[in-house]
């Protein structure tokens, strides 16, 4: 196992590149090439790729190596459903009056991830935060397609953010249902554009 001071930055660099679409879905991830690009040895890169495979962000097959994940329509629908369930659980367990402003920094996928993590954090449940964060990382690449496939992302984000401070959990619940339903209707398009089979 590689030292943490090498592994963690390597892991973050590879993960961010995956989340930004730095490799085409299904493309082979060459450990030696990635190691050269990051200025590290092959061992920490392999360690990180195994870790990312365990997180289902990278595909691994014995004899064929590592590949950028291909998102299928079914998988995307399943992730959306679980994401919604977790967020609704977070809303249901959030004490009244608890909250902070929604995140406003970064690009749309980062702000959206921050908003959902903030929703989870308000519940005070660390497991919800960890689960929503991990699932959000897997959904991050698809969020880059939201404006193209569902549109109105700025208005949608603003409404969700406002619902956090309004003290009306039913409004937040309805907005979350709509957010997820809109994307589920376009699941085949998300899967097609992200290289998965329907």
């Amino acid at each position: 196992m590689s030292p943490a001071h090498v592994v963690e930055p390597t892991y973050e660099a590879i993960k961010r590149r995956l989340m930004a679409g730095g490799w085409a879905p299904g493309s082979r991830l060459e450990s030696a090439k990635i190691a050269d690009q990051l200025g590290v040895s092959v061992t920490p890169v392999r360690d990180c790729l195994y870790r990312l495979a365990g997180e289902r962000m990278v595909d691994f097959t014995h004899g064929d190596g590592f590949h950028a994940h291909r998102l299928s329509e079914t998988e995307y629908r399943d992730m959306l459903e679980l994401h919604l369930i977790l967020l609704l659980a977070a809303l249901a367990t959030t004490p009244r009056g608890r909250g902070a402003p929604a995140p406003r920094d970064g690009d749309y996928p980062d702000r959206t991830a921050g908003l959902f993590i903030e929703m989870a954090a308000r519940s005070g449940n660390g497991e919800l935060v960890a689960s929503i964060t991990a699932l959000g990382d897997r959904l991050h690449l698809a969020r880059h397609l939201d404006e193209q496939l569902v549109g109105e992302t700025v208005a949608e984000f603003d409404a969700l953010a406002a619902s956090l401070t309004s003290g009306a959990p039913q409004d937040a619940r309805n907005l979350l249902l709509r957010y997820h339903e809109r994307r589920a209707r376009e699941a085949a398009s998300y899967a097609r554009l992200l290289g998965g089979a329907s």
Side-chain angles (χ1 to χ4, degrees):
M1 190 65 152
S2 305
H5 74 277
V6 175
V7 171
E8 287 310 309
T10 302
Y11 167 81
E12 287 300 327
I14 296 170
K15 184 175 179 179
R16 289 305 296 180
R17 186 169 170 193
L18 287 164
M19 289 167 61
W23 289 285
S27 63
R28 188 174 176 81
L29 303 176
E30 303 283 348
S31 299
K33 190 173 184 179
I34 295 169
D36 285 344
Q37 292 168 349
L38 297 177
V40 297
S41 69
V42 173
T43 301
V45 170
R46 269 198 219 112
D47 291 344
C48 294
L49 290 173
Y50 278 116
R51 180 174 166 187
L52 289 161
E55 295 172 6
R56 301 180 65 194
M57 293 188 69
V58 166
D59 297 326
F60 174 75
T61 312
H62 288 287
D64 198 25
F66 298 98
H67 292 83
H69 185 65
R70 286 185 185 269
L71 183 68
S72 72
E73 179 179 347
T74 300
E75 179 186 15
Y76 182 63
R77 286 180 188 281
D78 289 349
M79 285 194 298
L80 283 175
E81 182 179 1
L82 180 57
H83 194 252
L84 175 60
I85 290 166
L86 293 172
L87 287 169
L88 292 175
L91 277 180
T93 58
T94 297
R96 295 256 184 232
R98 184 169 188 175
R104 292 288 178 175
D105 295 333
D107 61 8
Y108 167 78
D110 286 335
R111 284 193 335 270
T112 301
L115 177 67
F116 292 140
I117 291 167
E118 177 60 31
M119 283 183 168
R122 291 172 187 214
S123 73
N125 184 319
E127 291 301 317
L128 277 173
V129 174
S131 296
I132 287 171
T133 300
L135 196 50
D137 288 348
R138 291 178 61 209
L139 287 165
H140 194 87
L141 186 55
R143 289 179 181 146
H144 285 276
L145 300 173
D146 282 357
E147 185 61 38
Q148 176 186 346
L149 295 177
V150 298
E152 300 177 11
T153 54
V154 173
E156 181 180 60
F157 177 89
D158 289 343
L160 275 165
S163 75
L164 290 184
T165 55
S166 71
Q170 189 60 40
D171 290 346
R173 183 180 186 284
N174 291 339
L175 289 165
L176 285 172
L177 289 169
R178 184 170 186 271
Y179 172 95
H180 290 83
E181 285 168 1
R182 292 175 71 216
R183 283 147 185 84
R185 281 196 299 268
E186 298 297 332
S189 297
Y190 280 94
R192 180 176 44 79
L193 291 170
L194 294 173
S198 314

